[in-house]
Amino acid sequence: MLIAILLFGANKIPKLARSTGQAMGEFQKGREEIDQELQEMREGATKTEDEPEPDIGTDETGTGTDANLEAEMETDAETDTEENR
């Protein structure tokens, strides 16, 4: 304590203690927020592991939507050529 008084002076000790306390409070608050976010991510990961993930880019038959789109385009092209005849 004597070293702190010599280094900072008796007038600045309360200000230094106050700012140190505020910094520690902010640090704990940030740590708690990070812990909460990690916990939410863990809970979210366990929920998605239980549920099967939907296949993106496929329809109910399990075929890719690109194949369906190509088939529709071919059908449309055949229809167009038949109409033009």
Side-chain angles (χ1 to χ4, degrees):
M1 191 71 167
L2 182 63
I3 295 172
I5 293 172
L6 290 174
L7 288 175
F8 299 107
N11 295 338
K12 292 191 180 183
I13 295 290
K15 291 179 184 178
L16 180 64
R18 194 174 307 119
S19 64
T20 302
Q22 288 175 346
M24 289 176 63
E26 288 294 319
F27 178 77
Q28 286 179 337
K29 185 178 174 182
R31 193 188 79 210
E32 289 173 359
E33 288 177 2
I34 290 173
D35 288 342
Q36 184 179 13
E37 287 181 22
L38 289 173
Q39 183 65 29
E40 289 174 0
M41 289 176 65
R42 286 186 200 121
E43 290 173 359
T46 57
K47 288 180 183 177
T48 57
E49 288 175 2
D50 295 340
E51 301 171 0
E53 293 185 20
D55 292 333
I56 298 173
T58 59
D59 60 6
E60 296 83 22
T61 61
T63 59
T65 55
D66 291 338
N68 292 339
L69 183 60
E70 288 177 16
E72 288 179 23
M73 290 174 63
E74 288 176 7
T75 305
D76 290 343
E78 289 173 4
T79 306
D80 288 343
T81 55
E82 288 176 5
E83 289 176 358
N84 290 338
R85 289 185 193 166

